[in-house]
Amino acid sequence: LRLIVADQYRKEKHVGLAANQIYNFVREIKKGDTVIIPSGNSDVISFGKISTDSFYVADKEELNYTDCPFNKRRSVEWFAQMDRNKVDPYFAKVFQAHHAINDVTHYKDYIERSTSGFYRFEDKSHLITNIRQNEALDAEAVFGYGYELLMMAKEFSEHYNLDLDFTDLKVKVLLNSEGKYEWITKRLRSATFLGVLTVLITGGGLNVGEDFHLTTPGLVKSISDFLDARAERKQRQLLLEKYADSIKV
């Protein structure tokens, strides 16, 4: 391949690098791989999945429409886009590389955390709650939110004898503006329940990773009935909603 590149591109100064980039584009990138591409000025980051097994050659109409000179392309299904200043700060390091194609496999956890509200990584479930407050956070709200949510989850589990286990539950709180509440556990049932409870308390939805499907109509109704059953639970719910509103989750 190096000899072909040297012959076809006589002005190319870095033949070995160019050959490696071509090889990666044709052979190493697989269907289902996640791709991350910054915009022209790097202000916006797009996330997608390779949707075909091989490259294709664009016709003249597509070349004119996309205003891109490269005719050999890979098909991508784009699923997320965000401002660069909202990308996980640990993941932002990937944009310091200057090659056309870079392997970011070791950033998989950070990619999932930036684009999914619920995902499995290795043997653990991760539930992400975004903190959208841009100003300084109220300390009582930050720590009270996690405590009240966990206490309500435990009470529900005991009430319905679900035997949900939260003993290995860990939490990471990224307090940037904007930040994240990340719940981590090996127990999928416990993480799923916390996700549904979070949605019912704070509103909105749960952005679940591509390989995980959440279908819980019975659970949703049970939680709703549980919250309405007793006055003290309602007080806990109101307190939790107050904390959630304060940090804009």
Side-chain angles (χ1 to χ4, degrees):
L1 182 57
R2 287 168 60 95
L3 295 176
I4 294 174
V5 171
D7 181 60
Q8 293 292 320
Y9 303 96
R10 300 295 178 92
K11 296 182 179 181
E12 177 60 55
K13 296 180 179 180
H14 306 287
V15 174
L17 177 60
N20 286 335
Q21 296 291 290
I22 293 172
Y23 183 84
N24 290 336
F25 180 80
V26 176
R27 298 293 187 185
E28 292 298 317
I29 297 178
K30 307 294 184 183
K31 181 179 179 180
D33 284 351
T34 299
V35 293
I36 303 100
I37 297 179
S39 60
N41 56 10
S42 296
D43 288 344
V44 177
I45 309 301
S46 297
F47 299 81
K49 293 275 187 183
I50 297 292
S51 57
T52 57
D53 290 314
S54 60
F55 70 89
Y56 71 96
V57 180
D59 56 27
K60 289 184 178 180
E61 182 179 354
E62 183 175 352
L63 287 172
N64 292 333
Y65 175 75
T66 57
D67 192 29
C68 175
F70 305 111
N71 62 351
K72 294 182 177 64
R73 307 181 176 192
R74 301 297 296 262
S75 297
V76 178
E77 294 179 358
W78 302 103
F79 63 84
Q81 190 177 75
M82 65 183 64
D83 294 340
R84 181 171 176 174
N85 60 4
K86 294 184 179 180
V87 172
D88 191 301
Y90 295 102
F91 174 61
K93 296 177 183 178
V94 74
F95 301 108
Q96 297 174 2
H98 298 292
H99 297 311
I101 301 175
N102 298 282
D103 184 359
V104 295
T105 303
H106 52 294
Y107 285 98
K108 176 178 171 57
D109 189 23
Y110 302 125
I111 295 170
E112 292 282 8
R113 192 163 69 187
S114 296
T115 59
S116 301
F118 193 113
Y119 66 93
R120 293 280 293 179
F121 180 67
E122 296 178 344
D123 64 338
K124 296 178 181 178
S125 296
H126 297 249
L127 172 66
I128 308 297
T129 303
N130 291 312
I131 299 174
R132 297 184 175 86
Q133 173 65 274
N134 288 315
E135 300 175 357
L137 299 172
D138 180 81
E140 181 182 357
V142 171
F143 298 106
Y145 169 79
Y147 174 80
E148 293 296 340
L149 184 66
L150 184 57
M151 290 302 101
M152 186 174 289
K154 287 182 175 180
E155 186 178 349
F156 180 91
S157 177
E158 293 172 0
H159 181 79
Y160 285 101
N161 297 315
L162 295 182
D163 195 29
L164 293 174
D165 190 345
F166 299 102
T167 55
D168 79 324
L169 187 66
K170 300 293 188 294
V171 65
K172 293 181 180 179
V173 184
L174 184 64
L175 296 180
N176 293 38
S177 295
E178 303 167 350
K180 295 180 184 295
Y181 233 110
E182 180 179 8
W183 303 89
I184 307 169
T185 177
K186 291 184 177 180
R187 295 170 171 83
L188 179 59
R189 290 175 66 243
S190 300
T192 301
F193 175 77
L194 277 175
V196 175
L197 182 59
T198 299
V199 171
L200 288 176
I201 295 296
T202 63
L206 185 62
N207 180 21
V208 179
E210 181 179 342
D211 298 325
F212 185 84
H213 302 282
L214 190 60
T215 306
T216 55
L219 179 59
V220 170
K221 185 179 186 305
S222 295
I223 295 175
S224 296
D225 292 344
F226 172 78
L227 293 176
D228 293 337
R230 291 171 52 191
E232 56 264 38
R233 288 180 196 149
K234 192 64 178 178
Q235 288 300 113
R236 170 159 280 166
Q237 180 185 353
L238 291 173
L239 186 59
L240 184 53
E241 289 173 352
K242 172 188 172 183
Y243 290 150
D245 182 65
S246 177
I247 59 177
K248 292 183 169 58
V249 300

